[in-house]
Amino acid sequence: MDRDVFVGRDHELGVLERHLADARATDGGLVLVDGEPGMGKTALGHELTRRARAAGMVTCWGACWEGEGAPAYRPWAQILRGLGAAPDRLLAPDGETRFRLFDEVVGLLRAAAAGDGMLVVLDDLHWADVPSMRLLQVLASEVAGCRLVVVGLYRTGEVYPHAELARVLRAIRRERSTTGMRLGGLLPGEVEQLATRTLDRPPTDALLRAVERRAEGNPLFVLELVRLAATPGAADRSLPADVREVIARRLDRMPEATRRVLRQASVLGREFSVSLLADVAGAPASDIVDLLEEAVAQDLVVAGDGHALRFAHALTQEVAYGELPGGERRQLHQRAAEAMEAGHRQDADLFLDALAHHLRQAATLGGAERALEATLRAARRANDQLAYEHAAFQYGQALELLPLLPRAPVTRHGLLLELARCQFRAGAVADAWTSCRAAADLGRTAGDVVAVAEAAVVIRGLRHDPVCEEIHALCREALTLLRGRDPVLEARLLGQLAVTASPFAGRAEPGLSERALVAAEATGDPDARLLALQARHADLLNPRYAHERLSLGERAVQLGRESGRHDYAVWGHTWRIDAFFELSRRVQLDTELAAFAGVVGHLREPLSLWRLTMIQASLAMLEGRYAEASALADQALAIGRRGGHQEADALHMVFLDHLAPQIGGSLEEVETYVRRFVRNGPFLARGWLASVLVNMGRLDEAAEVWASVVPHLDSFPPYADEWLINLTSSADLCIRLNRPELAPGLYAELLPFADRQAIGGAHTPSDGPVALYLGKLACVLEDWAAADTHLQMSLHLSAAMCSPPFEAMTRVEIARLLLARGLSAGIREADAHLEAAIQTANRLGMTPLAAEATGLLTGLRRGRSSPLSPREHEIAALVAEGLSNRLIATRLHLSERTVENHVRSIFNKLGFDSRARVAAWFASSRHRD
């Protein structure tokens, strides 16, 4: 729809204007408007821009460029220029991450919107480069708290030039600040209004009916049909069936010379300069202007930015380009490249992507070497801009040129490795590994051992990814082939070999991580040293090595300082935070966390931001700040998904699995996820499912699942980071599913770590003090003195970690212990512990614990006037509920034999011989109370 002929869209504009009003009230947002080609998306954007300016808002417009010739971040460069900022802000200095770069751009937009608000329109997002969309994704997550509205316009159902584009667009749609809007056809009355304004008179009924039938409300189709019908001789021909055909007919009515120039212009894209078109056409610029006058008069071409011209609609350019025969098209691209090289030597980098595109299109005419050189320059520039997806695209294009160059200056496996590095930096791990494998295959064939070795160390920092096993195997092969030829590469391979060893597939060869560290230190190579430190850390994940991990963390932080690599320091701080948490050193943990937050704030890298937010969520849950913990976990999930972190969803479920039992929430979503995980994960993951089922109260199902795991408990690798958590979870299942025969072994394994917190990393929820589980197991074993010692330690450690929830849980267990011992002196103490636990649970919203403690306290106080002990009174209540001895044992964390002894004592004291009489007595005693 022409900017000067805008009709209808009252509802859509009303919605968009409400977004503008919300933004002025500091509640910004992103609106994604999609529609079929010709639906008037761009016209809607211009009308909204006019209204925003009238309201005093700052407005900026960025348009994506069709085809392969657009540089990375083109729409954002236009927006920065519109704000008076230099587009070279999008060139990141060495050592920066692109997420810090994105933050700087977001900060600039926030500042520009701080006054009366700001509208940013991004047109033709279906043609955007992936880095531009990644920047939009970050902006979408930040826009809610500022005076900024972003409107993105894109085609419905478009086949995107990059597959990653569709994935990023889906992620942007999931952001809370994002609203979708589908632009449909005009209403019949609006079609008539548009036709009237186009013709300067009302259309005939016959024409209007024909237009309505053919155009189906598509504004561009309406305009073009009406214009076509108004031209001389149109009545002699039937109306076209689709919008592309109508555009082709309008082009048919141009003078042949004008139509030829339009086809030549289409090679340059939707927007073009007269001077460049003159060079391509081989005609004076004045002649080109004369030839285009008719196209301008017929609204096929309009004025663009600066002195440029542009096709009025992208479809016009597409139709004109489609009319060119292949040979002529390649020749025109060649002329365009020659004109760019001749006319832009001083600012060649500005046109580098377009130059590379034109040279590639003309490569079969003999310029393949120049095309390759320009494409590699474009790839390196995109990499310098941290536009990794765009760099990967350019390296992919370079690979396609190689068959045209028998003596290419680069190898295919070398290009594949560069492609893999860019893919990995962009978060496309599976694609990166595919490129690495292809490079390794070619390296073997060519006898290039270094290529095989480098393919094994491109992907870093993964431990539980499916590709780790293949990377591990490639490392072994590369080490065999390398045979000491390259000490630095060999040190990196040793580190990678140790890091990628799966703890569930058997321990890596003894001493491997130590060898890797010695070799890396000898080379002095920072990359090799970090890989070796990671390998050594992976070898020392068992809780007995917590102090060694603190030392490794300090070495990684120091390596980061020496090399100026903040990402190295991230690893070191993370390891130290985990160890301090495990060792119950809260003061040191908080100090390290503050240092970690400072580094993360500098990098603004998603994985580190995700980990920081998850640690904050874990600490909030530890302290009983459940609403804040839940909000932080949701925020972390959004960050993790945005950054493509594969563990984000799994660890969010782990978080919910710990949160729900504490506050009485639902576990249905968690159960669904865990069942799916168990189907595809390691066998021992069934223990997780059993734990979920127990917390849902489905004890029989849980017992059946747990029974399949019990024979394999000793198989859980002690050097996996989940080892301690697995033990405490097993202890809990042992008690709650009444498997007392497992208690001695679990107690013995946990005893060396009595002073630790049960944690699988500070970014995961804590199971609390190990001493809590030792105390429960000791109760099962009826070792009352040991139970008392452990539970008192649990109380102390909970307080040391500032954890009221685990203090309250421990107090309930101390009360159970006192009741189990049956000593009258402990009754008052048990009462006090239960009273304190209830107060804490009610204050924090721990509904299940409050109910449990209240039930115990009620039974305790009733039992004081009863011939039964408090524990016997508690058991009598469960007998009255109809529970069997086994179920009572499970409920109270006792052995079944102990319950049998208590039931026998109840019979003797009351003079009864049946459970029914005990139930009747208990009911009457409650009635009397």
Side-chain angles (χ1 to χ4, degrees):
M1 193 187 305
D2 285 6
R3 299 183 200 180
D4 297 329
V5 187
F6 186 87
V7 300
R9 305 303 189 194
D10 294 333
H11 171 71
E12 291 86 350
L13 284 168
V15 171
L16 291 169
E17 286 193 284
R18 284 195 291 275
H19 280 284
L20 296 182
D22 289 343
R24 291 196 293 274
T26 323
D27 185 18
L30 166 65
V31 184
L32 292 176
V33 181
D34 70 295
E36 298 291 337
M39 279 297 175
K41 300 179 292 294
T42 302
L44 179 69
H46 283 297
E47 178 63 19
L48 182 66
T49 299
R50 185 187 65 77
R51 298 187 183 196
R53 286 175 182 162
M57 298 180 75
V58 177
T59 64
C60 279
W61 191 285
C64 304
W65 195 352
E66 181 184 12
E68 302 169 3
Y73 305 119
R74 182 180 188 268
W76 297 107
Q78 291 176 302
I79 288 166
L80 291 181
R81 276 195 294 269
L83 294 173
D88 60 9
R89 281 175 178 260
L90 294 168
L91 283 170
D94 290 342
E96 292 285 7
T97 69
R98 68 170 172 177
F99 293 95
R100 183 169 176 79
L101 169 71
F102 290 175
D103 264 10
E104 289 178 1
V105 175
V106 171
L108 188 148
L109 294 174
R110 278 178 171 272
D116 293 322
M118 178 177 177
L119 169 67
V120 170
V121 180
L122 293 165
D123 199 7
D124 293 329
L125 284 179
H126 49 278
W127 290 327
D129 59 288
V130 178
S132 286
M133 292 296 284
R134 290 287 188 196
L135 177 46
L136 178 59
Q137 187 180 7
V138 171
L139 180 59
S141 69
E142 302 282 344
V143 73
C146 61
R147 301 174 186 271
L148 176 63
V149 175
V150 182
V151 175
L153 312 172
Y154 67 101
R155 285 185 189 173
T156 301
E158 184 74 5
V159 178
Y160 299 107
H162 310 290
E164 183 66 14
L165 199 62
R167 290 193 287 270
V168 179
L169 188 57
R170 284 195 297 271
I172 293 172
R173 288 198 201 102
R174 289 197 299 264
E175 292 288 343
R176 291 181 179 178
S177 62
T178 302
T179 304
M181 177 184 289
R182 172 64 57 84
L183 208 58
L186 297 176
L187 299 173
E190 294 168 342
V191 170
E192 183 177 3
Q193 185 183 357
L194 180 57
T196 300
R197 293 181 61 180
T198 304
L199 295 170
D200 291 326
R201 65 180 187 276
T204 65
D205 289 343
L207 175 60
L208 185 59
R209 285 196 301 273
V211 169
E212 287 176 350
R213 186 174 63 255
R214 294 290 174 84
E216 296 182 339
N218 184 300
L220 178 65
F221 204 176
V222 171
L223 279 169
E224 296 296 340
L225 285 172
V226 169
R227 285 170 175 157
L228 187 63
T231 57
D236 299 333
R237 301 175 65 183
S238 61
L239 289 178
D242 62 45
V243 69
R244 282 181 170 80
E245 185 181 346
V246 76
I247 289 172
R249 290 232 195 139
R250 288 196 66 214
L251 289 172
D252 282 343
R253 295 185 177 279
M254 291 293 101
E256 178 52 37
T258 297
R259 188 167 185 179
R260 182 172 59 254
V261 168
L262 289 173
R263 288 196 296 265
Q264 292 166 338
S266 71
V267 170
L268 302 176
R270 186 176 176 186
E271 190 167 289
F272 54 90
S273 72
V274 171
S275 59
L276 183 58
L277 177 56
D279 290 336
V280 171
S286 57
D287 290 356
I288 297 296
V289 171
D290 292 342
L291 289 171
L292 289 175
E293 277 186 1
E294 182 64 20
V296 172
Q298 295 298 321
D299 290 320
L300 290 168
V301 172
V302 297
D305 294 336
H307 298 290
L309 295 174
R310 68 196 314 257
F311 286 95
H313 197 279
L315 289 177
T316 309
Q317 184 259 339
E318 292 174 21
V319 170
Y321 190 74
E323 291 180 348
L324 285 168
E328 183 180 353
R329 190 181 293 177
R330 285 189 286 274
Q331 289 174 352
L332 289 170
H333 279 295
Q334 185 177 55
R335 288 187 212 163
E338 290 168 351
M340 284 183 170
E341 287 179 315
H344 298 286
R345 296 187 188 279
Q346 301 303 316
D347 51 0
D349 276 355
L350 294 176
F351 299 91
L352 183 54
D353 290 88
L355 173 64
H357 165 66
H358 289 303
L359 286 170
R360 286 196 299 271
Q361 298 305 308
T364 55
L365 299 181
E369 190 168 341
R370 286 165 56 218
L372 178 64
E373 189 270 336
T375 300
L376 292 178
R377 282 169 51 208
R380 288 189 286 269
R381 188 181 74 156
N383 191 63
D384 290 343
Q385 290 179 290
L386 313 181
Y388 301 125
E389 296 90 349
H390 196 63
F393 165 75
Q394 296 290 359
Y395 280 119
Q397 294 296 301
L399 284 163
E400 291 186 13
L401 289 169
L402 287 186
L404 300 176
L405 292 164
R407 297 181 181 179
V410 291
T411 63
R412 178 171 288 276
H413 53 266
L415 286 180
L416 281 166
L417 288 172
E418 293 295 343
L419 172 62
R421 292 183 184 104
C422 293
Q423 289 168 327
F424 179 60
R425 290 171 188 144
V429 175
D431 291 342
W433 179 237
T434 298
S435 298
C436 286
R437 279 189 316 208
D441 290 343
L442 290 170
R444 288 188 202 95
T445 303
D448 190 338
V449 176
V450 171
V452 177
E454 287 185 343
V457 295
V458 167
I459 296 173
R460 306 285 184 86
L462 301 183
R463 291 200 65 234
H464 301 298
D465 194 279
V467 305
C468 286
E469 185 177 347
E470 295 181 55
I471 295 173
H472 189 76
L474 186 58
C475 285
R476 286 198 178 281
E477 177 190 355
L479 281 167
T480 303
L481 295 172
L482 203 59
R483 296 177 184 173
R485 300 181 201 177
D486 187 328
V488 171
L489 199 47
E490 188 169 49
R492 293 179 182 175
L493 285 168
L494 284 169
Q496 183 82 312
L497 184 68
V499 166
T500 54
S502 170
F504 292 95
R507 190 174 178 84
E509 61 185 82
L512 178 59
S513 65
E514 290 139 298
R515 281 174 52 209
L517 193 53
V518 169
E521 294 290 356
T523 66
D525 177 67
D527 261 1
R529 290 167 66 191
L530 180 70
L531 258 174
L533 287 170
Q534 290 172 328
R536 191 73 188 125
H537 180 268
D539 253 6
L540 300 176
L541 283 172
N542 189 277
R544 68 172 58 91
Y545 301 119
H547 293 91
E548 287 87 341
R549 282 184 271 120
L550 281 175
S551 175
L552 288 173
E554 182 55 39
R555 290 171 71 175
V557 171
Q558 183 60 34
L559 178 61
R561 292 194 196 104
E562 292 171 2
S563 60
R565 292 287 298 271
H566 296 288
D567 51 327
Y568 291 2
V570 162
W571 288 100
H573 287 306
T574 299
W575 298 341
R576 289 174 64 79
I577 289 168
D578 290 347
F580 282 137
F581 202 135
E582 186 182 312
L583 293 167
S584 305
R585 297 186 185 177
R586 184 57 194 266
V587 174
Q588 293 93 330
L589 165 60
D590 287 350
T591 301
E592 199 72 33
L593 183 59
F596 178 54
V599 177
V600 172
H602 177 81
L603 285 175
R604 303 299 299 173
E605 187 271 326
L607 177 57
S608 302
L609 273 173
W610 169 82
R611 186 177 290 272
L612 172 63
T613 310
M614 282 298 293
I615 292 172
Q616 292 167 338
S618 174
L619 288 173
M621 189 192 295
L622 183 76
E623 296 173 9
R625 295 181 280 117
Y626 293 116
E628 183 181 349
S630 183
L632 284 166
D634 288 345
Q635 182 182 339
L637 178 62
I639 293 169
R641 285 174 170 171
R642 196 179 306 131
H645 182 40
Q646 295 180 333
E647 291 187 348
D649 284 275
L651 289 178
H652 187 69
M653 288 299 155
V654 172
F655 181 89
L656 295 179
D657 177 37
H658 282 70
L659 177 65
Q662 293 187 37
I663 64 172
S666 171
L667 281 166
E668 290 183 5
E669 181 186 4
V670 176
E671 183 197 0
T672 301
Y673 179 89
V674 173
R675 286 190 182 279
R676 187 168 60 248
F677 180 79
V678 166
R679 282 197 297 271
N680 303 316
F683 179 85
L684 293 174
R686 293 165 181 245
W688 186 11
L689 177 59
S691 179
V692 171
L693 292 171
V694 163
N695 285 325
M696 296 178 79
R698 290 152 58 181
L699 298 183
D700 290 340
E701 288 181 67
E704 184 179 351
V705 173
W706 179 236
S708 69
V709 177
V710 166
H712 309 286
L713 285 179
D714 291 341
S715 302
F716 202 95
Y719 34 86
D721 43 12
E722 306 94 344
W723 183 77
L724 189 57
I725 285 286
N726 177 67
L727 277 181
T728 54
S729 177
S730 296
D732 187 59
L733 288 168
C734 157
I735 296 163
R736 297 173 71 180
L737 294 176
N738 195 28
R739 296 293 300 267
E741 75 278 8
L742 301 175
L746 291 167
Y747 182 86
E749 286 206 77
L750 282 171
L751 188 59
F753 313 111
D755 61 345
R756 304 295 177 85
Q757 297 287 326
I759 191 87
H763 63 293
T764 63
S766 170
D767 269 2
V770 172
L772 175 60
Y773 301 88
L774 286 167
K776 292 181 181 182
L777 290 169
C779 285
V780 173
L781 298 170
E782 299 185 11
D783 186 343
W784 310 123
D788 182 64
T789 299
H790 293 312
L791 291 175
Q792 292 301 328
M793 178 177 282
S794 175
L795 201 60
H796 166 72
L797 292 174
S798 297
M801 289 297 288
C802 305
S803 180
F806 282 107
E807 282 191 65
M809 293 180 210
T810 302
R811 288 188 185 280
V812 171
E813 294 307 320
I814 292 174
R816 287 187 186 281
L817 168 63
L818 292 167
L819 294 174
R821 299 181 76 170
L823 301 176
S824 58
I827 301 301
R828 184 170 298 172
E829 186 181 350
D831 190 301
H833 278 296
L834 289 171
E835 189 69 56
I838 291 167
Q839 289 179 6
T840 299
N842 285 332
R843 175 170 57 85
L844 299 178
M846 301 176 72
T847 307
L849 186 68
E852 180 184 357
T854 299
L856 285 171
L857 185 59
T858 301
L860 170 65
R861 289 175 177 174
R862 282 179 182 151
R864 289 178 185 173
S865 59
S866 165
L868 305 181
S869 72
R871 175 63 92 181
E872 288 168 345
H873 199 278
E874 185 180 17
I875 290 174
L878 297 176
V879 168
E881 288 183 25
L883 271 65
S884 66
N885 287 351
R886 184 176 69 83
L887 290 176
I888 293 171
T890 300
R891 176 82 65 88
L892 299 181
H893 310 329
L894 298 172
S895 69
E896 195 168 347
R897 179 173 295 178
T898 299
V899 173
E900 289 173 359
N901 291 336
H902 281 302
V903 171
R904 191 176 300 112
S905 176
I906 292 168
F907 284 177
N908 291 336
K909 287 182 178 182
L910 297 177
F912 297 153
D913 57 2
S914 73
R915 300 173 83 91
R917 292 188 66 187
V918 171
W921 171 85
F922 183 81
S924 64
S925 67
R926 286 188 66 184
H927 181 71
R928 289 194 300 273
D929 290 342

